[in-house]
């Protein structure tokens, strides 16, 4: 009984997200327009001027380059998405990235977005290929050995996406050794399935490839954060559904160079002082999706 209610509420949420995504993609003059340097008039943030970020090697590099290079996802609707036809980037994470860039004094025309897969994030930050990363990036102790995180700016949990007509996989505990579960290489999601279930795993570099495999009946389920899965379910509500309760806590952070406490502090302050901006970004991108709406408190710097 309880399970049925969860499934029903998630499908409603998925439909709502679809409506929202469709609406966003048709909005003229949205945040990706660039040109005027503030990312468009409809953005809830403003581009700061005269910014200084004490003790930040990353900010020095950004100033020298006169642009900010941000790692993102571009195949996760609602979070980090690139519309190949219009060239517009949308999503909660992308807007958080734009907001952070604006807080440093860099508008849309000075942002270089780089798509980077889950498995390659730490290395891209360590190499200095990107200045920071915003893309469903869970704060973990293992990752903190190589990089630092600002935030968290969002909290979600791991879930399961299955074919609409699948009645056997009702949640994590229903997975058996005969099930093939797909997720992204290098994610917390794939690791948890390996550690905590008897299921077989299939890995790709992106979740959209897993979703494609699911719709072609090559795998039985896709697993990752519920916020991501709801976006895919919303794109194909006749064929896909999310099932069961979430089974982890994923705290999304902004990945940045290890030990850059100057930038970490600056972003944490921007997040903490900008709750109204956060709320608008959430409402614009995920408000109708059914995922949890509260802005979390940031972690201590270090
Ligand atoms: N949040 C999880 C992680 O950082 C899964 C989503 C992702 O791969 O980006 O591993």
């Amino acid at each position: 009984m309880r399970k049925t209610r969860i499934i029903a509420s998630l499908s409603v949420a998925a439909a709502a997200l679809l409506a929202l995504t469709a609406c966003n993609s048709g909005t003229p003059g949205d945040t990706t327009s660039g040109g005027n340097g503030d990312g468009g008039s409809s953005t809830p943030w403003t581009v700061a001027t005269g910014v200084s970020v004490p003790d930040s090697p990353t900010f020095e590099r950004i100033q020298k380059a006169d642009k900010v290079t941000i790692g993102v996802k571009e195949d996760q609707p609602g979070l980090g998405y690139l519309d190949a036809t219009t060239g517009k980037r949308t999503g909660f994470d992308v807007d958080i990235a734009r907001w952070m860039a604006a807080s440093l004094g860099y508008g849309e025309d000075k942002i270089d977005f780089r798509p980077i897969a889950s498995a390659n994030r730490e290395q891209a930050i360590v190499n200095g290929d990107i200045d920071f990363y915003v893309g469903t990036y869970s704060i973990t102790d293992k990752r903190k050995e190589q990089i630092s995180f600002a935030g968290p700016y969002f909290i979600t949990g791991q879930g399961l996406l299955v074919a609409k007509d699948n009645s056997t996989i009702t949640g994590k505990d229903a997975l058996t050794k005969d099930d093939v579960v797909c997720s992204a290489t290098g994610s917390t999601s794939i690791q948890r399935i390996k550690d905590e279930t008897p299921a077989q795993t299939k890995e790709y570099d992106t979740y959209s490839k897993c979703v494609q495999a699911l719709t072609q009946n090559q795998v039985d389920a896709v697993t990752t954060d519920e916020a991501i899965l709801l976006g895919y379910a919303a794109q194909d509500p006749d064929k896909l559904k999310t099932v069961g309760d979430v089974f982890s806590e994923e705290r999304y952070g902004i990945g940045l160079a290890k030990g850059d406490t100057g930038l970490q502090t600056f972003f944490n302050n921007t997040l903490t002082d900008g709750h109204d901006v956060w709320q608008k970004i959430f409402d614009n991108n995920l408000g109708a999706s059914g995922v949890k709406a509260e802005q979390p408190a940031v972690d201590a710097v270090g």
Side-chain angles (χ1 to χ4, degrees):
M1 187 61 201
R2 192 163 154 258
K3 205 166 278 165
T4 317
R5 230 183 301 134
I6 290 163
I7 293 166
S9 82
L10 286 180
S11 330
V12 170
L17 183 62
L18 178 67
L20 197 68
T21 307
C23 169
N24 276 354
S25 62
T27 308
D30 74 6
T31 55
T32 57
S33 59
N36 60 4
D38 68 357
S41 54
S42 62
T43 59
W45 56 83
T46 48
V47 179
T49 51
V51 177
S52 78
V53 185
D55 304 322
S56 173
T58 309
F59 188 62
E60 278 173 33
R61 185 175 65 205
I62 291 168
Q63 284 183 307
K64 261 188 214 124
D66 195 31
K67 64 168 184 172
V68 52
T69 306
I70 312 176
V72 289
K73 296 288 183 68
E74 59 182 27
D75 68 334
Q76 299 180 179
L79 290 160
Y81 191 73
L82 174 65
D83 184 322
T85 314
T86 63
K88 284 184 190 297
R89 289 182 191 272
T90 52
F92 178 73
D93 284 334
V94 171
D95 278 352
I96 294 284
R98 290 182 172 123
W99 176 27
M100 293 303 118
S103 74
L104 294 172
Y106 293 79
E108 185 74 13
D109 55 341
K110 299 229 164 144
I111 301 176
D112 184 0
F113 286 111
R114 298 266 175 91
I116 293 171
S118 292
N120 303 330
R121 292 180 285 206
E122 288 85 79
Q123 202 56 53
I125 293 167
V126 169
N127 291 351
D129 296 338
I130 55 174
D131 296 316
F132 56 94
Y133 189 97
V134 193
T136 62
Y137 199 8
S138 297
I139 300 170
T140 70
D141 288 342
K142 188 154 180 271
R143 290 171 179 163
K144 279 203 261 184
E145 290 168 13
Q146 289 182 272
I147 63 151
S148 295
F149 288 97
Y153 62 89
F154 190 66
I155 298 179
T156 180
Q158 186 167 349
L160 285 165
L161 182 76
V162 298
K164 193 96 187 222
D165 58 3
N166 185 321
S167 55
T168 54
I169 301 178
T170 49
K172 180 192 164 213
D173 295 341
L175 291 171
T176 72
K177 62 176 180 28
D178 296 324
D179 294 318
V180 180
V181 179
C182 190
S183 197
T185 305
S187 66
T188 56
S189 325
I190 191 89
Q191 196 55 47
R192 189 165 291 103
I193 291 297
K194 287 177 183 171
D195 292 346
E196 297 179 13
T197 80
Q200 300 167 52
T201 52
K202 171 83 188 161
E203 295 182 30
Y204 290 104
D205 58 341
T206 63
Y207 297 107
S208 51
K209 287 181 190 161
C210 283
V211 173
Q212 200 181 354
L214 178 62
T215 52
Q216 292 169 355
N217 287 322
Q218 290 158 4
V219 300
D220 299 298
V222 177
T223 188
T224 187
D225 307 332
E226 184 194 45
I228 302 173
L229 296 177
L230 285 171
Y232 291 124
Q235 278 199 324
D236 207 352
D238 295 337
K239 290 205 185 111
L240 302 172
K241 65 180 178 186
T242 53
V243 287
D245 293 328
V246 296
F247 47 93
S248 75
E249 185 178 75
E250 306 298 320
R251 304 165 74 250
Y252 289 173
I254 300 166
L256 47 90
K258 187 172 168 70
D260 193 336
T261 50
L263 190 63
Q264 189 185 21
T265 305
F266 188 89
F267 282 163
N268 277 357
N269 290 342
T270 302
L271 290 167
T272 304
D273 298 343
H275 176 67
D276 292 353
V277 178
W278 184 95
Q279 192 64 53
K280 283 189 187 121
I281 291 174
F282 179 86
D283 292 346
N284 287 345
N285 292 287
L286 296 172
S289 71
V291 295
K292 223 172 97 184
E294 278 146 52
Q295 180 182 10
V298 298
D299 290 340
V301 166

